[in-house]
Amino acid sequence: MRIAVLSLGLMLLAGCSSFRAAPPCFIISGGTSNYQIVIPAAESGGRLQPLLQQAAEQCSTLLQRGTGVLLPVVTEDQRDPQRPGIYLGQTARARELGLLPEKFSLWEHQVLCRSGELFLFGDDRPPLTAGSGRVHYTSVHLGSVKALTVFLEKFAQTAFIAGDAEWISILPQDCISVPEGFTFRAVPRLQYSNGRVTSMFYDLGNGLLPAPWYGCYGGHSHNVAIPPKKYFDSHPEYFQLFKGKRVSHPTRPQYCLSNPAVRELIYQELLQHLDAGYEMVQLGASDGFIPCECEPCRELYGQIPVAKPGEDGFRNDPAWGEKLWIMHREMAQRLLQDRPGKRVCILSYGPTLQPPRTFTSFPENVTIELAPYRENLQPLWQKFAVRDGFVTYIYNWGGYQREGMTPHFTWEKCRTQARNFLKHNIKGIYRCGFGELFGLEGATYYIWAKLLQNPEQSVEKLLTHYCQHAFREAAPEMEKFYRLLDSRIALTIPGEPKNWDDPALLDGEAPASPANYRLLALRYPPQVLAELEGYLRAAEQTAPELELCQKLLDFARLEFDYLCLTAKAVQACNELRRTLSPEANRDLIAAVLARNQFIASQKTTRDGTRFAPLHGRAIFGNSLVSDMYQNGTLSALLFGPLSWDAQWWQDKQMLLAGRDMDTRAEGEYLLPINCRSNDKLLNASGVTVKCRLAENEFQVIFTIPGPRQFGGDKETIIVQLGQSDTGSPLYWYSARLKPSGVSHSQLALTDRDNNGQGSVYRPREMKGQKPANVTIQETEPGVLAIMHIPFEHFSDSPKPGQKWIFNATYSRSFPEENFEGIWNYNIQQRNWRHRWDLPGTLTIAQ
Ligand SMILES: [Zn+2]
């Protein structure tokens, strides 16, 4: 204890920690230290040794960064007996002193200060599988490293900000001391929080503990047990009967669960997984559940569904979920005999989101995984005896939410979640989505992780703590930045939550969603973006040259610029919806172009499909570049025009909506008719449309480059034409692309009269009038398809200067090439029913 006594005076000057009964042990003081970091000798450390070594060395480097003092790292057999130690791991010395418990609880960790030496140890477990290869920290338990993070946070002013090494913050300090006799022992209530991994210190320091003992399939086990590739050809009867046929799906196959062989395979997969060494195995139906339509499946377990096979009503029919519950419970009972002591984690998701109705207890080996956790279902779950409690699958973050790659989760929601999980004994978390936005959401991840350990902590203090560590002198500006951001994320519009197992959603057929546009427009109006920009810029100007601050600010800048460009494009799109003006068109084109250019300017991996890392870290959750144009996946999608090629519009000098065409104008290009459609094939086709006045007729001329295919049978042209001045009806002409008859209808119900279900056209009585017709002229290469529309269809012939209502559609359904293009795009469409509800204008030339 000589060091401690000697450095006492210095310590008091430095304002170091308080003294209790015994003098504290000073590990570092006054720019010097006698301590060594001691890890178990190689032979006793086994396969955990390299990880303990890595942790010890990182700790040594970190402490040097904070204090200027480098502590040597030695194995126990090499330690200097004259010098005190920081003992990391289940060392012989800790054992000799009787400090190690006989058996550790799951993730138990301890920090003890005894006779001037520090002992950091915990529940360390080697990997399940034998071997000699390098071990990843997620495949083992490192309670000792967890103890080390506790020491660093409590005594060395450290915070785990975004990763290991330079992503860990340590504040400058002259001394590090621990009270003599200090005892800290913890067994985390949350046994695991897995999902996207960040790094050893970040994850363990923030309580995001791996669960190498849990054989998790990421949610679904049936499809792992019976892969279609292996079984569909030889055993089609294992798979779902759908409209009279056995069918499969490449990623979400559905099964004929009444077939005993199917159930046996599902069960055998559980056994195999457990026999690989796991303590608990996941059991859940294939994603996007659709029931098999065979009679035995209908009658399985006597749970007779009301909805007929093929009807979508099965989603609300509890019989299907009940069949799954009964089946899974039977498997758990069988497992109790076959693998005593092992556990099964049954998924409550999709059809089994509601608790079972036909029983109230599970075998003692069952854990229930709530996906998602729903507070309103907790009263129902409380009736169930589930000895091992519940775990959950959370959807706080991820590019699949409506927010896409913009921030998602408020601090208030973090607190509510943490309180609920504590109240309802949630013992494990799978994070579906996390870490996509360390620049904009890093503080939230930190606050969330800390609240899970104690929901009653002050969010304000956590935020301040995070910002001081992450941004130092720039902390006040970044606090303002995050506070404003958090207050904006709190604003929402109705529409959530979705059923994440909805097959239509999983297949990318979510309804077109002006709601996403509304949400982003609501949260990020120009003045809010400007205010955020002001804080971020001020932070950039005041931040120190510290590597951590600079790198984090680079992330914040990248993600914020993306947010701004996305919000601005969304605002411009909404403005065009409102005004349809040429100016709004041009603003939208500029905004989408700027956003597209920003995405395209990011460095990518060699194959160009994903973004290259920034400062060694994935950006935007390593999402596909193509997904970013739509702001993410599933619920996030910002459909056209944001996801389309604005450069094309600009090059062709075209507008999108509110278009006005002169009867002398040259051919104009089309846009996808459906906001969900891709524009690539249409643009590549080069199809244009123009309108000419002949002696007694309109000639709407489609120019279609390229060689003829399929004789025009798989191509359709549609013209909408009406005389706006006289109030005469809007007419609809539709034909195949060949000399043939034209179907002729007139507007019968507007979208409004049809309760928002889209306008309706009905066949028109022709009363001896000359019909419209189509002629085809071969050009080189390609054709002109001309729709001839006699003036006599209208109450009056066109007069120079008049404005007529006009739109033109061309569609193609070749096996390899399928698209629908329209001249004036309905930017106000809510779904496909409204595609034709916003024609443009035809000006009759002078
Ligand atoms: Zn069946």
Side-chain angles (χ1 to χ4, degrees), residues 239 241 246 255-258 292-294 296-297:
F239 293 80
L241 190 69
R246 295 287 169 180
Y255 299 96
C256 185
L257 299 172
S258 62
C292 173
E293 292 170 2
C294 84
C297 277

Side-chain angles (χ1 to χ4, degrees), residues 415-542:
R415 185 192 295 289
T416 304
Q417 186 171 71
R419 280 182 179 152
N420 286 340
F421 286 4
L422 177 65
K423 186 169 69 181
H424 294 299
N425 193 23
I426 302 295
K427 289 186 167 166
I429 292 175
Y430 179 83
R431 287 167 281 132
C432 181
F434 180 86
E436 291 84 8
L437 303 173
F438 258 102
L440 300 186
E441 291 184 328
T444 304
Y445 305 151
Y446 184 84
I447 289 167
W448 172 78
K450 295 296 179 199
L451 286 176
L452 280 172
Q453 290 159 35
N454 172 11
E456 303 313 320
Q457 288 178 85
S458 155
V459 167
E460 298 292 304
K461 281 186 185 159
L462 288 170
L463 174 68
T464 300
H465 189 74
Y466 177 89
C467 287
Q468 280 174 352
H469 272 280
F471 303 108
R472 309 293 164 99
E473 288 88 335
E477 298 297 338
M478 287 309 286
E479 270 194 51
K480 288 182 212 160
F481 179 83
Y482 287 129
R483 278 183 217 284
L484 178 54
L485 208 48
D486 188 66
S487 72
R488 301 312 298 182
I489 306 165
L491 302 177
T492 192
I493 56 170
E496 291 285 273
K498 286 215 163 53
N499 284 322
W500 293 109
D501 73 319
D502 183 346
L505 180 74
L506 295 169
D507 284 336
E509 291 168 11
S513 184
N516 290 354
Y517 282 83
R518 279 171 55 213
L519 180 74
L520 294 176
L522 170 73
R523 288 183 179 174
Y524 306 112
Q527 65 275 20
V528 169
L529 294 178
E531 196 179 341
L532 287 165
E533 171 65 36
Y535 297 140
L536 184 56
R537 187 165 297 169
E540 287 165 338
Q541 285 160 359
T542 48

Side-chain angles (χ1 to χ4, degrees), residues 198-495:
T198 303
S199 67
M200 181 166 68
F201 274 102
Y202 180 85
D203 286 355
L204 301 193
N206 292 311
L208 311 179
L209 305 175
W213 44 272
Y214 176 18
C216 168
Y217 300 96
H220 312 281
S221 72
H222 290 192
N223 45 313
V224 180
I226 314 173
K229 267 195 180 148
K230 185 170 172 190
Y231 288 103
F232 189 72
D233 287 344
S234 54
H235 290 286
E237 76 278 10
Y238 289 179
F239 293 80
Q240 165 204 23
L241 190 69
F242 183 75
K243 294 183 179 167
K245 272 175 67 182
R246 295 287 169 180
V247 297
S248 184
H249 185 284
T251 54
R252 307 190 306 274
Q254 305 297 327
Y255 299 96
C256 185
L257 299 172
S258 62
N259 185 330
V262 167
R263 298 202 297 274
E264 189 59 26
L265 282 170
I266 293 169
Y267 181 71
Q268 289 301 325
E269 171 63 32
L270 301 182
L271 294 185
Q272 277 175 31
H273 221 53
L274 288 174
D275 292 347
Y278 294 108
E279 286 172 23
M280 179 165 87
V281 63
Q282 194 171 38
L283 175 57
S286 190
D287 206 359
F289 179 80
I290 301 173
C292 173
E293 292 170 2
C294 84
E295 195 55 27
C297 277
R298 205 180 89 85
E299 287 172 4
L300 185 63
Y301 302 125
Q303 302 299 311
I304 311 297
V306 178
K308 297 258 183 323
E311 282 179 1
D312 206 41
F314 76 83
R315 245 161 237 299
N316 302 314
D317 194 325
W320 292 108
E322 201 60 32
K323 289 173 201 280
L324 287 168
W325 278 126
I326 294 169
M327 179 177 91
H328 288 163
R329 181 170 175 256
E330 278 183 5
M331 290 179 184
Q333 266 157 344
R334 211 175 139 191
L335 203 66
L336 209 51
Q337 311 300 319
D338 289 346
R339 297 293 182 276
K342 299 268 183 170
R343 292 152 67 194
V344 56
C345 186
I346 301 178
L347 198 66
S348 166
Y349 169 81
T352 53
L353 184 63
Q354 297 280 335
R357 292 157 188 253
T358 53
F359 58 87
T360 53
S361 73
F362 284 97
E364 64 186 35
N365 57 353
V366 168
T367 294
I368 301 291
E369 180 153 5
L370 306 170
Y373 172 92
R374 288 264 170 86
E375 180 64 10
N376 61 339
L377 292 179
Q378 282 307 310
L380 295 173
W381 277 118
Q382 294 314 302
K383 289 186 277 188
F384 283 80
V386 182
R387 195 196 67 173
D388 284 337
F390 297 88
V391 296
T392 185
Y393 189 104
I394 61 165
Y395 302 83
N396 298 5
W397 297 285
Y400 57 87
Q401 309 274 7
R402 282 194 306 180
E403 288 84 355
M405 286 299 170
T406 71
H408 304 84
F409 212 65
T410 62
W411 304 328
E412 195 48 46
K413 281 186 172 176
C414 292
R415 185 192 295 289
T416 304
Q417 186 171 71
R419 280 182 179 152
N420 286 340
F421 286 4
L422 177 65
K423 186 169 69 181
H424 294 299
N425 193 23
I426 302 295
K427 289 186 167 166
I429 292 175
Y430 179 83
R431 287 167 281 132
C432 181
F434 180 86
E436 291 84 8
L437 303 173
F438 258 102
L440 300 186
E441 291 184 328
T444 304
Y445 305 151
Y446 184 84
I447 289 167
W448 172 78
K450 295 296 179 199
L451 286 176
L452 280 172
Q453 290 159 35
N454 172 11
E456 303 313 320
Q457 288 178 85
S458 155
V459 167
E460 298 292 304
K461 281 186 185 159
L462 288 170
L463 174 68
T464 300
H465 189 74
Y466 177 89
C467 287
Q468 280 174 352
H469 272 280
F471 303 108
R472 309 293 164 99
E473 288 88 335
E477 298 297 338
M478 287 309 286
E479 270 194 51
K480 288 182 212 160
F481 179 83
Y482 287 129
R483 278 183 217 284
L484 178 54
L485 208 48
D486 188 66
S487 72
R488 301 312 298 182
I489 306 165
L491 302 177
T492 192
I493 56 170

Side-chain angles (χ1 to χ4, degrees), residues 553-630:
L553 283 172
D554 285 347
F555 271 83
R557 172 50 72 188
L558 172 80
E559 295 160 11
F560 181 65
D561 284 351
Y562 171 78
L563 168 69
C564 285
L565 288 164
T566 303
K568 282 175 184 166
V570 161
Q571 305 280 9
C573 192
N574 288 349
E575 188 60 19
L576 181 57
R577 285 196 177 104
R578 276 190 290 272
T579 68
L580 301 174
S581 72
E583 194 187 14
N585 268 281
R586 284 189 283 273
D587 288 349
L588 173 63
I589 290 169
V592 177
L593 199 56
R595 180 175 183 271
N596 287 353
Q597 283 167 349
F598 175 83
I599 295 170
S601 72
Q602 301 304 318
K603 285 197 188 117
T604 62
T605 50
R606 198 172 301 160
D607 66 0
T609 56
R610 293 178 195 273
F611 297 109
L614 171 66
H615 301 315
R617 301 183 60 99
I619 63 172
F620 299 117
N622 199 28
S623 74
L624 288 168
V625 175
S626 54
D627 285 343
M628 286 300 283
Y629 288 98
Q630 298 193 323

Side-chain angles (χ1 to χ4, degrees), residues 708 710-715 717 735-742 773-776 785:
R708 297 285 337 153
F710 307 104
D713 268 332
K714 294 181 184 300
E715 291 162 281
I717 51 175
R736 292 289 183 212
L737 206 79
K738 56 185 184 184
S740 64
V742 172
N773 72 303
V774 171
T775 57
I776 304 290

